[in-house]
Amino acid sequence: MSFRKRSTKINIKRPIRCLFALTLGVLPISVFADEYDTLQFNTSVNRAYDNNLFRVRNNETSDQITTYTAGVKLDKTYSLQRFIADVNYVDYKYQNSDFLNFDAINYDAKWLWSLTPSLTGNLSTSRNKSLNGFNDFRLFTQNIRTIDINQFRAEYSPYKVWALIAGLTETKVQNSQTFNAVAQYNATAFDYGARYNFASGSNLSWLGHKRNGEFDRTLNTTSLFDNGFTEDEYEFDFVLKPTGKSNLSSKLAYLSREYDNFSIRDYNVWIGFLKYDLLLTGKIRANLDLSRTASPFETEYSTYSVTDSASLGLSYLYSEKLTFMLNGRLAQRDFKQAVQAGVANREDDEQSLSGSVSWRPIKSIGFTLSSIKSKRNASSAYNNFDYDDVTTSVMVDLKI
């Protein structure tokens, strides 16, 4: 173990979800208008039955969860400026475990500014409030996670070929209960890079992110929980011009994190993704998604986790009103860099298969029936679980 002088830090959070689910959805009853309409209203009611709410191996607890949502979206353009504000009120009600009940106002507001056609950017703010799921949070109590992100981004592209990119991102993550594995923190980041736009319509970007963050907790020399970190990420992004028959996007990045005091938790990791979809025939479309993600998960047996996943999906447009979809996913999640000798390693294997049928008898009304069966096997039996989830929902959109 070594100690370093504390600095200011950032983080990028990312709780990882692992599921075992059987999902049944009935969606939506909607009234549609053009996507650029100035004012849009939406409301929905979602009812879910979960037979293993707390994701335990034995003595499961079942419950019914009803989610009510009402929202409004404003999208207005003035000359070269565009303003977008999306606000939703969400109310979660648990029939039996009512101590989990909560409501939230989530929002995402953007100003897509333009000083000249060559100098553009955005100024944005967002908030998302949700329940920390019990896949990783293993205490039978309510833990609400609130994520606030403020961002400024500028792009200078005088000839629409090369673009220079710079910006600042401020992130604040709060948990209502202590959760050191995915701790709360405040962070700032300097974002920079460049993009090249090919004549074909494809583009290649290189981006760097210099992050500094502080955890909202005291230094713990026993469990080696730090109070700050720095993080550098360098990424290449390539997007192939959509052809109507296929789409391809990819990312390759190198992430390096150093903690202020406990260098034993420092880590470096390669991450990225490849997404490709292809129209096989006039009615059948296939999509492939390969990814590697990494996120902090600080315990005695790990500092971070790496998830490698592959998913393959098919959609069949039987008619203009009826669509079938099928998707399979395999994933392996490794928990890396233990800080105590002799503790057992943890590795999770996940598999899921899902399908859905969507029927839209008229443009303004649609229904969806979907199901998913998912499974997680962990090297630590304590983290094994199965659950079935049955969900029905109705949604109404009004756009004017």
Side-chain angles (χ1 to χ4, degrees):
M1 173 194 323
S2 66
F3 293 82
R4 293 203 186 94
K5 181 174 168 68
R6 166 181 168 171
S7 67
T8 14
K9 318 292 176 189
I10 175 189
N11 168 57
I12 272 195
K13 77 288 128 200
R14 199 166 174 218
I16 297 196
R17 313 171 338 181
C18 315
L19 347 160
F20 265 89
L22 174 39
T23 310
L24 230 319
V26 181
L27 258 170
I29 298 176
S30 307
V31 179
F32 292 90
D34 187 87
E35 64 175 314
Y36 294 110
D37 287 344
T38 300
L39 200 57
Q40 308 172 13
F41 298 93
N42 70 83
T43 183
S44 68
V45 179
N46 185 89
R47 172 66 64 86
Y49 172 78
D50 194 322
N51 77 336
N52 189 1
L53 180 64
F54 298 110
R55 305 301 185 255
V56 294
R57 189 181 182 190
N58 299 303
N59 302 316
E60 298 91 341
T61 299
S62 62
D63 209 338
Q64 291 188 38
I65 307 101
T66 303
T67 307
Y68 304 92
T69 303
V72 59
K73 181 177 180 179
L74 175 68
D75 190 336
K76 186 66 176 178
T77 300
Y78 295 95
S79 184
L80 295 177
Q81 318 304 313
R82 184 179 178 188
F83 299 91
I84 303 172
D86 195 352
V87 182
N88 288 279
Y89 171 77
V90 189
D91 188 15
Y92 298 89
K93 299 292 186 184
Y94 291 76
Q95 186 176 49
N96 299 317
S97 305
D98 56 3
F99 63 91
L100 295 176
N101 291 352
F102 75 98
D103 58 7
I105 297 178
N106 297 326
Y107 58 82
D108 187 0
K110 299 183 181 72
W111 170 23
L112 306 180
W113 57 267
S114 178
L115 295 183
T116 70
S118 300
L119 183 59
T120 61
N122 69 77
L123 181 65
S124 66
T125 183
S126 67
R127 165 170 286 190
N128 183 267
K129 188 176 180 182
S130 61
L131 181 71
N132 269 314
F134 297 100
N135 292 4
D136 287 322
F137 183 66
R138 310 301 280 165
L139 300 178
F140 303 159
T141 186
Q142 184 194 71
N143 191 353
I144 304 300
R145 190 168 180 86
T146 304
I147 303 173
D148 293 295
I149 300 176
N150 301 310
Q151 186 177 67
F152 171 79
R153 180 68 62 88
E155 294 191 14
Y156 179 63
S157 181
Y159 305 109
K160 303 303 180 183
V161 178
W162 281 98
L164 299 177
I165 303 168
L168 294 172
T169 302
E170 180 184 75
T171 303
K172 183 177 183 180
V173 178
Q174 292 180 299
N175 295 318
S176 61
Q177 302 286 340
T178 300
F179 188 18
N180 280 311
V182 188
Q184 59 187 21
Y185 65 89
N186 296 299
T188 55
F190 174 55
D191 309 306
Y192 56 95
R195 183 179 62 250
Y196 182 77
N197 300 308
F198 296 93
S200 63
S202 302
N203 66 76
L204 176 66
S205 302
W206 176 83
L207 295 172
H209 310 279
K210 179 68 175 179
R211 305 182 179 114
N212 297 280
E214 289 187 341
F215 294 111
D216 188 8
R217 65 187 179 192
T218 58
L219 194 70
N220 187 321
T221 57
T222 302
S223 300
L224 303 182
F225 292 141
D226 217 312
N227 55 12
F229 64 91
T230 59
E231 192 171 82
D232 290 287
E233 182 179 355
Y234 309 99
E235 64 176 276
F236 283 99
D237 302 308
F238 178 70
V239 178
L240 190 67
K241 179 187 177 182
T243 64
K245 290 188 175 181
S246 66
N247 297 282
L248 184 146
S249 61
S250 61
K251 169 183 172 177
L252 178 64
Y254 180 74
L255 179 68
S256 175
R257 172 180 281 208
E258 293 185 354
Y259 287 82
D260 283 357
N261 299 283
F262 305 126
S263 62
I264 193 173
R265 287 201 181 272
D266 295 352
Y267 64 87
N268 306 289
V269 62
W270 288 92
I271 56 176
F273 64 77
L274 174 68
K275 298 180 181 181
Y276 181 67
D277 70 79
L278 175 66
L279 188 65
L280 300 176
T281 71
K283 292 180 175 291
I284 301 176
R285 181 175 288 274
N287 62 78
L288 174 68
D289 189 339
L290 305 174
S291 72
R292 163 171 279 206
T293 59
S295 60
F297 198 85
E298 297 174 18
T299 67
E300 72 280 359
Y301 61 80
S302 68
T303 297
Y304 68 106
S305 68
V306 175
T307 302
D308 294 303
S309 66
S311 65
L312 180 64
L314 289 172
S315 63
Y316 175 52
L317 183 65
Y318 179 81
S319 69
E320 292 184 356
K321 299 180 179 180
L322 190 62
T323 304
F324 298 88
M325 298 186 69
L326 183 67
N327 189 78
R329 180 179 183 269
L330 297 173
Q332 183 178 77
R333 185 182 180 194
D334 292 333
F335 294 78
K336 296 181 177 293
Q337 206 152 304
V339 294
Q340 291 186 15
V343 295
N345 294 330
R346 178 181 166 189
E347 182 179 288
D348 296 351
D349 291 314
E350 307 163 28
Q351 307 91 35
S352 67
L353 181 66
S354 62
S356 67
V357 181
S358 298
W359 178 50
R360 191 172 297 282
I362 61 176
K363 184 178 180 181
S364 60
I365 299 178
F367 301 90
T368 298
L369 180 66
S370 65
S371 66
I372 176 171
K373 183 64 178 179
S374 216
K375 181 179 181 182
R376 180 169 92 175
N377 290 321
S379 55
S380 166
Y382 171 72
N383 292 292
N384 288 340
F385 60 79
D386 292 299
Y387 77 81
D388 292 330
D389 183 272
V390 178
T391 304
T392 59
S393 61
V394 178
M395 182 175 68
V396 178
D397 282 338
L398 298 174
K399 303 180 181 182
I400 58 178

